[in-house]
Structures are given as C-alpha cells and as structure tokens.
C-alpha cells in the first residue's frame, strides 16, 4: 500500500512511513490531523494506539477515526472480538482514557461503519 502511495505522490510535502499505531515514530505534537480508516479494529492495543495519536497531535489537532462501530456488532464481542472497541461507547471510553475530550460521530457509509472526529 505504501509503495503504491509513493508511486502516485507528486507532492514533495508528502512522506510515507510504516509503523505500528502503538509506537508512532514521530515527535510529540507533530501533526494537526491524524486519520485512521478501517484499521483500528486490527490494532493490537487500541488504547495504546489512541494514546500515540494523542501524543503526536498538536493541542488544536483532530483525530479522524473511521471503523466498525455499531450496536449490530455486539454479538461479535461475546466470542472472537472481546477486547475490541466495536461500539461507539467502547470507543469513547478508550478515547477519553487517551486524553480526547471532544467527540463528534458521523455515519458516512453503512450501518456498521462510523467516523468519530476527536480532539483533546
């Protein structure tokens, strides 16, 4: 995916790197915006990853997190995905623990995919 993005990027301001969400290779307060699109459900430690997002955001920055958040996914929490934030409530608990205070939810795609825009 990164190789494809690099091959299509014609803007010298863009850079691409690979890392785990739980260990972002950037200094504190580096970004105005952090975006995660449908990868959050696969983060090993969602709380730690959100903590890293908060760390690299400037105080006026925003996190845009799009993933699987729906009451329809509650049955998946009973067996295979117990440790995942698959509902808005569970995601909000993790976001607050990471230092995010303002959250606005949007449902752009379907019944199970939602977006939260969070800031500190």
């Amino acid at each position: 995916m990164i190789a494809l993005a690099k091959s299509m990027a014609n803007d010298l301001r863009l850079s691409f790197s690979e890392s785990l969400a739980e260990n972002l290779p950037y200094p504190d307060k580096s970004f105005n915006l952090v975006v995660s699109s449908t990868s959050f459900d696969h983060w090993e430690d969602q709380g730690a990853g959100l903590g890293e997002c908060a760390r690299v955001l400037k105080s006026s920055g925003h996190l845009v997190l799009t993933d699987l958040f729906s009451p329809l996914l509650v049955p998946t929490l009973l067996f295979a995905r117990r440790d995942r934030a698959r509902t808005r409530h569970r995601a909000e608990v993790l976001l607050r623990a990471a230092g995010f205070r303002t959250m606005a939810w949007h449902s752009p795609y379907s019944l199970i995919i939602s977006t939260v825009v969070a800031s500190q």
Side-chain angles (χ1 to χ4, degrees):
M1 189 178 255
I2 289 177
L4 178 60
K6 283 180 180 179
S7 73
M8 297 178 72
N10 294 322
D11 189 329
L12 296 176
R13 297 173 296 170
L14 298 176
S15 66
F16 301 91
S17 62
E18 204 173 324
S19 69
L20 297 175
E22 298 88 342
N23 188 24
L24 297 175
Y26 305 107
D28 295 357
K29 301 183 185 322
S30 298
F31 299 102
N32 293 311
L33 179 66
V34 172
V35 177
S36 172
S37 179
T38 61
S39 70
F40 182 66
D41 193 55
H42 302 285
W43 295 3
E44 184 70 30
D45 184 335
Q46 291 177 322
L50 290 174
E52 280 291 277
C53 291
R55 180 186 66 75
V56 301
L57 275 173
K58 294 178 180 178
S59 59
S60 60
H62 299 283
L63 167 66
V64 177
L65 181 63
T66 299
D67 218 294
L68 303 169
F69 302 112
S70 170
L72 297 173
L73 296 171
V74 168
T76 66
L77 299 172
L78 299 175
F79 303 105
R81 309 297 280 177
R82 281 193 161 139
D83 62 337
R84 303 286 92 190
R86 299 197 106 195
T87 63
R88 289 180 178 192
H89 173 73
R90 288 179 88 158
E92 286 180 4
V93 168
L94 289 174
L95 285 160
R96 281 192 189 92
F100 292 96
R101 299 291 167 243
T102 305
M103 291 163 244
W105 285 92
H106 309 274
S107 297
Y109 298 113
S110 71
L111 293 174
I112 62 170
I113 297 177
S114 295
T115 297
V116 61
V117 178
S119 58
Q120 300 176 46

